[in-house]
Amino acid sequence: MKGIRKVTDGIYWIGGSDRRLERFENIFPIPEGVSYNSYFIDDEKTAVFDTADISVADQYLENLGEALSGKKLDYLVVLHMEPDHCSQIANVAALFPEVTVVGSKQTFTFMEQFFPEAAGFKRLEVKEGDTLSTGKHTFKFVAAPMVHWPEVLFAYDEASKALLSADAFGTFGALDGGLFADEYDFEKDFLPSARRYYANIVGKYGVQVQAVLKKAAGLDIGMILPLHGPVWRKDLAWFLDKYNKWSTYEFESDDAIVVYGSLYGHTASAAEAVAASLRSKSGGNVRVYDVSGTDVSYLIGEVWRCRKIVLICPTYNNGIYTPMENFLSDMAALGVQNRVFALGQNGTWAPVTVKLMTDKLSQLKNVTILEETLTIKSALHASDENALNIFADAIVKA
Ligand code: FEO
């Protein structure tokens, strides 16, 4: 039972943590690692909810074997068909040929695309409101389309009051010997990773998250069992409130971030001067980021946290400095809303970046782009002090 943790009576965690993967989805750096959670139901009928990523397959299959202790596996329930959770479906079906695979209609469409042999699996197709009883536990399925794939299901067990929530309420971050959020200092150990995970992976689908949160509000939830990160059994309202804020694009903090692009350091100096002015005028917290040296997923996480976003960069090939353009495109792709933007630019001969950034940001919903902007020529000088003051004042007042 070395890789297994008891969640509650009859429910066990049999997943694994990966600390070797450099980038989640081959995009997002995860120096903190990631866990792939799978849940085993030890009841009159046995069931397993989701498998795991191929990187932890050996541990996962060993855990499953230990959990079964010689019993047969009756059900493999697939709440989400993304390969970080479904990689072992064919292996589990091969090990337990009598298993009934449970999922939505679209689950099976995707399953046959990934595993053509799934056409021969014993299957049970379920939809919103259907139930699966294993004996003491009865799981009711809740459709969660586009959170963040279309086939996603949640499952709610009245006996344990557990909500198995697929990717929702998940986070980057390997489990360091714990399982429950209350075994960690979650705000310190996981919150930035949870926010970055939400914003980058699920952030575009706020409307769909809101829809499923409304459905979940009708359930008496005592535990949340996500597919990544710790299980929630205490302070659920605190994390639900975060999800509510994130999915309605409400900021968590009135803090400002200053994100700059700089070829040789002159724009960086201007950005630092803006940050210093903002701190002294507002007394608030300000974070400064180099857009070239900060992976965009961290910047997106900060955009979800903060209300005010200051962008300063040079004109480059008559366009926006490329890393900044990438950041702006990512914000547009993820549907960022309800933020205040302040724009600055540096140009040695023909600065046009503020206009170009304004054009891009104007495509976002419900955003304010301050009329007051900052333009420096090549480098910040004492003669720019008044303009910098006016720019910082406008940001503080916004
Ligand atoms: Fe963790 Fe959408 O897979």
Side-chain angles (χ1 to χ4, degrees):
M1 301 289 275
K2 57 182 178 286
I4 299 176
R5 288 285 312 265
K6 181 176 178 179
V7 177
T8 188
D9 287 344
I11 302 182
Y12 296 84
W13 178 92
I14 58 165
S17 282
D18 182 0
R19 293 181 183 77
R20 299 175 68 177
L21 183 69
E22 191 173 342
R23 287 176 183 267
F24 189 79
E25 295 186 354
N26 214 7
I27 302 176
F28 311 109
I30 46 167
E32 66 270 65
V34 65
S35 78
Y36 304 102
N37 300 341
S38 169
Y39 301 97
F40 177 74
I41 312 304
D42 191 11
D43 204 350
E44 291 158 31
K45 300 276 187 187
T46 59
V48 65
F49 280 75
D50 293 293
T51 68
D53 187 75
I54 196 161
S55 63
V56 298
D58 287 352
Q59 177 76 65
Y60 169 74
L61 292 174
E62 187 182 317
N63 287 349
L64 178 57
E66 293 266 356
L68 281 165
S69 300
K71 286 182 239 170
K72 71 184 178 79
L73 181 62
D74 293 302
Y75 297 110
L76 167 58
V77 185
V78 180
L79 299 180
H80 184 22
M81 263 307 294
E82 195 162 8
D84 55 332
H85 309 292
C86 82
S87 81
Q88 295 307 296
I89 286 177
N91 285 340
V92 170
L95 285 168
F96 305 98
E98 294 303 307
V99 73
T100 297
V101 182
V102 183
S104 68
K105 183 179 173 61
Q106 205 159 26
T107 302
F108 288 108
T109 302
F110 294 174
M111 202 179 296
E112 288 186 34
Q113 289 171 194
F114 282 109
F115 307 103
E117 62 268 48
F121 293 170
K122 274 174 70 180
R123 66 172 69 179
L124 174 63
E125 197 177 294
V126 293
K127 59 182 183 318
E128 166 103 10
D130 287 352
T131 57
L132 175 73
S133 176
T134 54
K136 294 190 186 83
H137 300 272
T138 299
F139 296 90
K140 186 172 189 176
F141 293 99
V142 178
M146 297 318 297
V147 182
H148 64 132
W149 277 30
E151 86 296 358
V152 172
L153 294 168
F154 290 2
Y156 174 72
D157 170 34
E158 252 177 38
S160 62
K161 302 193 187 311
L163 179 71
L164 291 99
S165 63
D167 273 338
F169 305 104
T171 176
F172 296 138
L175 298 174
D176 297 315
L179 174 62
F180 299 100
D182 55 272
E183 293 179 287
Y184 301 88
D185 181 344
F186 189 88
E187 198 157 355
K188 179 169 84 56
D189 297 338
F190 279 102
L191 184 58
S193 297
R195 185 187 299 111
R196 186 165 69 94
Y197 174 87
Y198 176 87
N200 286 278
I201 309 253
V202 191
K204 182 179 176 63
Y205 304 106
V207 170
Q208 290 83 354
V209 173
Q210 276 291 303
V212 81
L213 284 177
K214 284 192 174 68
K215 284 195 238 177
L219 303 171
D220 180 14
I221 300 170
M223 309 185 86
I224 298 177
L225 282 56
L227 287 176
H228 301 285
V231 166
W232 287 82
R233 64 182 175 185
K234 290 182 184 170
D235 302 324
L236 272 62
W238 179 85
F239 201 41
L240 282 163
D241 178 62
K242 293 289 180 202
Y243 251 70
N244 200 37
K245 279 199 169 75
W246 295 341
S247 56
T248 53
Y249 305 94
E250 192 184 325
F251 51 87
E252 286 175 78
S253 159
D254 203 34
D255 288 355
I257 55 168
V258 179
V259 182
Y260 71 82
S262 184
L263 283 76
Y264 300 105
H266 300 98
T267 314
S269 295
E272 298 286 358
V274 168
S277 184
L278 289 177
R279 267 190 191 268
S280 72
K281 286 175 189 296
S282 71
N285 194 21
V286 181
R287 299 291 302 271
V288 179
Y289 295 96
D290 177 353
V291 75
S292 301
T294 310
D295 184 87
V296 71
S297 68
Y298 291 89
L299 300 176
I300 291 293
E302 283 293 76
V303 166
W304 248 259
R305 184 177 69 85
C306 298
R307 185 165 81 92
K308 296 177 182 177
I309 297 146
V310 184
L311 307 175
I312 308 177
C313 77
T315 299
Y316 196 78
N317 287 333
N318 283 331
I320 303 169
Y321 186 56
T322 317
M324 185 66 84
E325 184 151 37
N326 179 45
F327 177 34
L328 292 167
S329 296
D330 218 14
M331 280 196 272
L334 293 169
V336 167
Q337 299 181 26
N338 296 336
R339 295 297 184 273
V340 175
F341 289 93
L343 306 178
Q345 62 186 348
N346 187 0
T348 295
W349 64 95
V352 292
T353 324
V354 160
K355 180 190 176 307
L356 297 175
M357 289 198 290
T358 302
D359 291 346
K360 283 209 120 180
L361 291 168
S362 300
Q363 295 163 22
L364 304 181
K365 279 190 199 165
N366 304 325
V367 296
T368 301
I369 305 168
L370 298 186
E371 283 184 17
E372 205 62 61
T373 62
L374 178 69
T375 296
I376 61 169
K377 291 286 186 69
S378 303
L380 188 73
H381 299 287
S383 56
D384 295 312
E385 191 174 338
N386 190 41
L388 190 145
N389 257 318
I390 293 169
F391 183 58
D393 279 336
I395 297 166
V396 170
K397 282 185 196 137

